[in-house]
Amino acid sequence: MNPRRTRIAAASLLVLASCLFAAAWTQAAGDSHDLPVRAHLPLVANDEPRATTPIPSPATPTPTPSPTATPTATQPPDTTLSFDASRALEIARHLSVDIGERVAGTAGGDEAVAYLQGRFAAAGFTVELMPFGFESRYALASLQAAGQQLTAAPLTGSAGSSVTAPSLFAGHGAASDYAGRDAAGRIVVVDRGVFTFAQKATNAVAAGAAALVIVNNEAGGFSGTLGRAFPIPVVAVPGSARDLLLAEAAAGLALTVSVELPAPTAVNVIARPAPGSRCDLIVGGHYDTTPGSPGGNDNASGVASVVELARVTGPRPGVCFVAFGAEESGLWGSAALADQLAAAQALPAAVINLDVTGNGDDVELVGSASLRGRALQLAAAAGIPARPATLPEGSSSDHASFIEAGIPSILLTSGDYAGIHSPNDTFDRLNPVMLDATGELALALLLDLIEAR
Ligand SMILES: [Zn+2]
């Protein structure tokens, strides 16, 4: 664990998920390893940058105009170039509908990488997949019973495999509940409570079970930990599935339990204008999601806009476009890239980050004051509703990794995080008007920065 990771890991240990989300689950007596799951928010404060690389002033140096002043020094954006929201929407639709959940290090994440790689290449860029190691907090689980796909959450410590086998109900899963019963090779269903999850799993393994399903003693779901690794998949299911599961188990019918543990590596998708070229300006957004979320707004909206911006501007010297990986597990992809560029003494002059850009009433500008001031001027000139903002306490996004490295960076976001990190974060909730406004402002800022170099 490197120092940087430690700080970020500490943030992720405390809370994860750079964007806001809250889900509350219940905690019943007796299961000491069972933790209430609360909002995941990394604690990377949006500090003002220690600007090590001063932003080059506009071509014709002028005193810094106040935010209200219409830009005089900076040339109005090249109006021949325009952000096409319908193209960005099509990319967002493919990511959030055709692919759906895109947890870093899983098959869904890999599918998104291949798709984005193809889109950047189609726009004429040289695409590099930059691998990095990370610690995922997310494992995926599913449960099939009576032909239905049931909600399930893997317990930390569960094995990562898929098992289909006849089922058996074993009360609360005490050792005595297996007396005189043949659980060998079966999927055992038990009730939550009385014993810890680890005790239930230990007894199930001792009885030869192939997998363990723990049913909540309340309607909703829960998650928790086994405290150590177990050789069988162990999942938690909502109490609302109890009757169905007990009926299947009473008849000895088959269930399928699947747990997918993310690979410990993920990738950034880096679109460079030419092989090996420097990235003096970076426009980026993360492609990964949290489990169970199709990530329409968080963050198919932002990463699709990054691809569309790449198409609009085309390959230009020193300008790179990046789809960051593993942001939801703690900004790992952007931190890895910032580390790599710092080590190569090739940090960019500025970074524009797009995250959750498909709804809201105006564009929120978060991050370095110099970039926010410039963006405000450009927004005023273009008639785009925008305002400076800060993120809710403890939350952040990929621009923070570059701010930490002393690079002026800005996040363009909607500020409206309703429904993210949930199954409700669907494509049909995207607002094309705000997607377009944010894309146009990002384009204007990018062209202004290119012009000012
Ligand atoms: Zn996000």
Side-chain angles (χ1 to χ4, degrees):
M1 173 81 73
N2 70 30
R4 186 177 188 82
R5 292 281 167 281
T6 310
R7 187 169 56 248
I8 293 180
S12 58
L13 276 175
L14 279 169
V15 174
L16 259 186
S18 322
C19 310
L20 300 174
F21 173 72
W25 303 75
T26 54
Q27 176 166 10
D31 41 310
S32 61
H33 284 299
D34 167 24
L35 299 168
V37 175
R38 289 181 294 104
H40 293 275
L41 304 162
L43 281 178
V44 182
N46 297 319
D47 289 337
E48 289 303 332
R50 278 180 303 103
T52 53
T53 328
I55 287 202
S57 57
T60 48
T62 60
T64 320
S66 69
T68 51
T70 52
T72 51
T74 51
Q75 301 306 315
D78 176 343
T79 51
T80 58
L81 295 179
S82 179
F83 182 87
D84 184 338
S86 65
R87 286 171 178 266
L89 275 172
E90 174 43 34
I91 296 167
R93 189 201 59 74
H94 183 79
L95 288 168
S96 57
V97 178
D98 298 346
I99 300 177
E101 182 184 83
R102 308 175 294 283
V103 176
T106 71
D110 297 345
E111 202 180 335
V113 164
Y115 173 69
L116 293 164
Q117 187 180 13
R119 299 311 308 238
F120 282 132
F125 288 81
T126 300
V127 187
E128 173 196 331
L129 299 186
M130 175 199 157
F132 59 88
F134 79 109
E135 289 162 29
S136 176
R137 283 182 56 98
Y138 302 119
L140 308 181
S142 68
L143 173 61
Q144 293 261 345
Q148 295 177 41
Q149 174 96 16
L150 302 178
T151 305
L155 274 78
T156 309
S158 166
S161 61
S162 183
V163 176
T164 297
S167 56
L168 173 143
F169 177 63
H172 282 102
S176 57
D177 287 318
Y178 294 95
R181 313 189 62 199
D182 177 14
R186 289 175 178 258
I187 294 179
V188 173
V189 179
V190 300
D191 280 323
R192 182 186 182 181
V194 184
F195 308 106
T196 65
F197 301 135
Q199 285 166 326
K200 293 174 193 286
T202 302
N203 295 339
V205 169
L212 179 64
V213 177
I214 304 176
V215 184
N216 198 9
N217 44 22
E218 297 203 3
F222 68 100
S223 91
T225 177
L226 296 167
R228 62 178 175 85
F230 275 77
I232 62 172
V234 180
V235 298
V237 300
S240 54
R242 187 173 191 276
D243 293 347
L244 172 69
L245 289 172
L246 264 61
E248 297 294 289
L253 295 173
L255 304 176
T256 297
V257 171
S258 302
V259 170
E260 182 181 0
L261 301 178
T265 59
V267 300
N268 291 323
V269 184
I270 303 176
R272 295 179 190 270
S277 64
R278 273 182 66 94
C279 299
D280 297 323
L281 296 172
I282 289 178
V283 180
H286 74 92
Y287 62 81
D288 61 308
T289 70
T290 56
S293 171
N297 208 2
D298 190 12
N299 186 34
S301 64
V303 74
S305 299
V306 170
V307 175
E308 170 56 9
L309 288 164
R311 184 197 67 79
V312 170
T313 62
R316 294 183 183 221
V319 182
C320 297
F321 297 84
V322 182
F324 295 116
E327 187 265 1
E328 298 291 7
S329 275
L331 315 184
W332 288 90
S334 54
L337 180 58
D339 279 354
Q340 186 189 82
L341 295 175
Q345 297 183 316
L347 280 165
V351 172
I352 301 172
N353 180 33
L354 301 172
D355 200 348
V356 185
T357 66
N359 64 344
D361 307 317
D362 54 15
V363 184
E364 291 200 356
L365 307 170
V366 177
S368 310
S370 48
L371 288 179
R372 283 191 297 170
R374 200 184 283 263
L376 270 176
Q377 290 173 343
L378 293 163
I384 294 170
R387 61 190 165 89
T390 54
L391 287 174
E393 180 64 31
S395 68
S396 187
S397 183
D398 289 308
H399 61 293
S401 299
F402 293 93
I403 286 180
E404 291 252 331
I407 302 302
S409 307
I410 187 171
L411 164 66
L412 277 60
T413 184
S414 71
D416 177 348
Y417 305 118
I420 65 167
H421 292 196
S422 82
N424 303 325
D425 188 6
T426 52
F427 172 73
D428 57 6
R429 295 172 59 145
L430 296 183
N431 171 356
V433 174
M434 279 317 298
L435 192 76
D436 190 58
T438 312
E440 288 291 2
L441 183 53
L443 178 60
L445 181 58
L446 175 58
L447 294 174
D448 187 64
L449 289 169
I450 291 171
E451 175 89 12
R453 281 186 307 169

